[in-house]
């Protein structure tokens, strides 16, 4: 008989008493449990199954870096998500994942990102032209539209009609909202099936595939080369066979880039602008950096390389409000993690939201202080910072997202003063940390 030992246990009774609240917003409950039970705790489900939740950096590093080969994505990601998103980087594991990652990585090389910058900048500027001035703006829908168009037009430079874009955005949001319902209300799965909701969302997913397929087909037929991500992805070749990706695979990867690439960025931008509105002194420093940079160069790539303070502001905003706020893994074989001996197939969650606010690693964790990500302090902070995950599976689009967010903050603060309207920033922790009713006011500088 193997002896397993698990972290401090949360009583299943307490867990079930809280379950309705947890379903609506797990974060306050996680906080309460961590404060009571320590940085890692477990819940026993059934006779032998355990679930572990942690905000301990040692646990995070172990499952994401040191022993990542033993930690696969959980069924939540591989089964639920892949049903609608297909088998792309986000939803696959093992050898297939590695093969895809190696294939796609070069498309996100810094050199390639630099080629996309001019196009990206134009899209951002045109999106911001319609910003409402001197009136209350609900930030998330505006940032969501901006981020969606940046991804869409960076992927398919000019080859997509506006109504198709709107349709894709609608489908992605519909499918995602339904997915959350499926994950959070497993006891209603029979009803979702019988009432035709599963079928309806699967059809929407197929419609999305067809739109993307149409764009790819037109690109192949026209033989035009375009400076966009689609072209980079179509041009990549597997090392062993020298062949490109199949069209099905290409569609799956593009869908993942859409989903992973627009909402997370929109979340991060929303919270960043909200924090800048709340801290006019920090906003002023951003503005000073912008003036300084513009006096030195008007080359966008060079400007991006000089945005040290803007970068620190974004990092500190993603520390407080990490877009991908939680990650989960399952161990393939029995393992010892920190001092716990855990059985294979244990579901382990790491809350980046809590790790980023853990007083063990952060001084004044609730305070917005971009200085944490400057100079010497930056080296320290980076050890406990996971805005894009960590280890070999770290988000492939990190460079793309940082460029897009830096440029957006640059363009907004250059033109506007941002003033606060709403009180606390509210959010809904879905697959990502989604802002709710976060409002500001833009006034011309």
């Amino acid at each position: 008989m193997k002896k397993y030992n698990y972290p401090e246990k949360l009583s299943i009774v307490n867990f079930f008493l809280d379950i309705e609240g947890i379903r609506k917003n797990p974060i306050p409950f996680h906080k309460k449990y961590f404060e009571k039970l320590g940085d890692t705790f477990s819940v026993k489900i059934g006779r032998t199954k355990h679930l572990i939740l942690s905000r301990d950096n040692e646990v995070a590093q172990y499952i994401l870096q040191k022993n990542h080969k033993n930690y696969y994505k959980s069924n939540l990601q591989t089964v639920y998500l892949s049903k609608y998103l297909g088998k792309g980087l986000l939803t696959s594991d093992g050898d297939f994942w590695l093969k895809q990652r190696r294939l796609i990585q070069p498309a996100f090389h810094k050199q390639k990102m630099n080629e996309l910058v001019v196009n990206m900048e134009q899209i951002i500027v045109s999106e911001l032209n319609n910003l409402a001035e001197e009136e209350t703006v609900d930030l998330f829908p505006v940032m969501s539209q901006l981020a969606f168009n940046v991804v869409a037009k960076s992927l398919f430079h000019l080859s997509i009609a506006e109504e198709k874009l709107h349709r894709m955005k609608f489908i992605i949001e519909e499918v995602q909202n339904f997915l959350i319902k499926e994950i959070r209300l497993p006891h209603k799965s029979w009803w979702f099936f019988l009432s035709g909701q599963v079928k309806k969302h699967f059809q929407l997913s197929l419609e999305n595939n067809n739109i993307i397929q149409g764009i790819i087909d037109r690109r192949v037929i026209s033989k035009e080369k375009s400076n966009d991500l689609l072209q980079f992805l179509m041009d990549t070749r597997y090392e062993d066979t020298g062949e490109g990706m199949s069209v099905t695979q290409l569609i799956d990867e593009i869908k993942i880039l859409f989903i992973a690439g627009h909402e997370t960025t929109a979340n991060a931008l929303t919270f960043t602008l909200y924090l800048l509105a709340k801290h006019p002194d920090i906003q002023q420093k951003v503005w000073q950096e912008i003036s300084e940079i513009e006096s030195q160069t008007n080359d966008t790539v060079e400007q991006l390389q000089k945005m040290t303070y803007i970068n620190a502001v974004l990092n500190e905003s993603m520390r407080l409000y990490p877009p991908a706020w939680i990650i989960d893994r399952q161990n393939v074989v029995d393992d010892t993690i920190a001092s716990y001996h855990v059985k294979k197939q244990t579901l382990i969650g790491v809350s980046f939201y809590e790790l980023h606010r853990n007083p063990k690693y952060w001084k004044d964790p609730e305070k917005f202080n971009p200085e944490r990500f400057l100079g010497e302090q930056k080296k320290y902070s980076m050890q406990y910072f996971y805005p894009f995950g960590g280890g070999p599976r770290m988000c492939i689009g990190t460079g793309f997202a940082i460029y897009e967010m830096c440029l957006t903050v640059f363009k907004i603060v250059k033109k506007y003063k941002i003033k606060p309207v709403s009180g606390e920033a509210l959010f809904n922790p879905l697959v990502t940390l989604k802002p709710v009713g976060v409002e500001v006011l833009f006034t011309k500088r």
Side-chain angles (χ1 to χ4, degrees), residues 409-423:
V409 170
F410 188 97
K411 299 288 173 197
I412 290 178
V413 177
K414 179 187 166 180
K415 201 168 157 189
Y416 301 103
K417 279 187 175 164
I418 317 163
K419 298 185 174 162
V421 175
S422 53

Side-chain angles (χ1 to χ4, degrees), residues 49 70-75 329-332 345-347:
K49 196 110 176 98
N70 187 29
Y71 288 86
Y72 273 25
K73 299 201 151 183
S74 74
N75 289 349
R329 293 285 187 266
Q330 269 169 318
N331 49 329
V332 185
Q345 297 300 314
T346 297
L347 184 66

Side-chain angles (χ1 to χ4, degrees), residues 321-332:
Y321 300 104
W325 68 279
I326 194 164
I327 197 165
D328 54 57
R329 293 285 187 266
Q330 269 169 318
N331 49 329
V332 185

